[in-house]
Amino acid sequence: WTLSLAISGGPRVARNAVGVPKLAIWMQIEGGDLEHASDGETLGDGGLDWSITRNGVPPASAVLWLQLIDPVGRKAPLLKVPAQP
């Protein structure tokens, strides 16, 4: 099974900015513990297409937890995004 995330209209920065916004991603499968999935996905031009593939039967429920990291490393609170089948 594959879990995908598509973001558009995200934060953008000026060309001469210190860096670019990034996104840390965790997965929570069927109410279990958070599993670290990625900690540095770049939001290029305010967008992102990301996916992760796992073996086995698709879970009954899955949640992505997202954390925006600004160009200087400040971290936003976690955002809960339930997966849609």
Side-chain angles (χ1 to χ4, degrees):
W1 56 273
T2 300
L3 188 58
S4 300
L5 173 69
I7 296 175
S8 62
R12 297 172 181 244
V13 295
R15 285 187 184 155
N16 60 348
V18 174
V20 296
K22 294 184 179 183
L23 193 68
I25 304 171
W26 291 267
M27 296 187 317
Q28 186 176 28
I29 305 301
E30 296 182 342
D33 293 335
L34 294 184
E35 300 176 37
H36 190 249
S38 178
D39 61 7
E41 298 298 322
T42 300
L43 290 171
D45 289 329
L48 174 68
D49 286 312
W50 176 88
S51 65
I52 189 166
T53 300
R54 296 287 172 105
N55 293 325
V57 177
S61 66
V63 174
L64 289 178
W65 291 87
L66 312 176
Q67 185 175 49
L68 182 64
I69 305 167
D70 76 7
V72 294
R74 294 176 294 203
K75 297 177 180 179
L78 290 175
L79 173 66
K80 180 180 180 179
V81 180
Q84 302 294 318

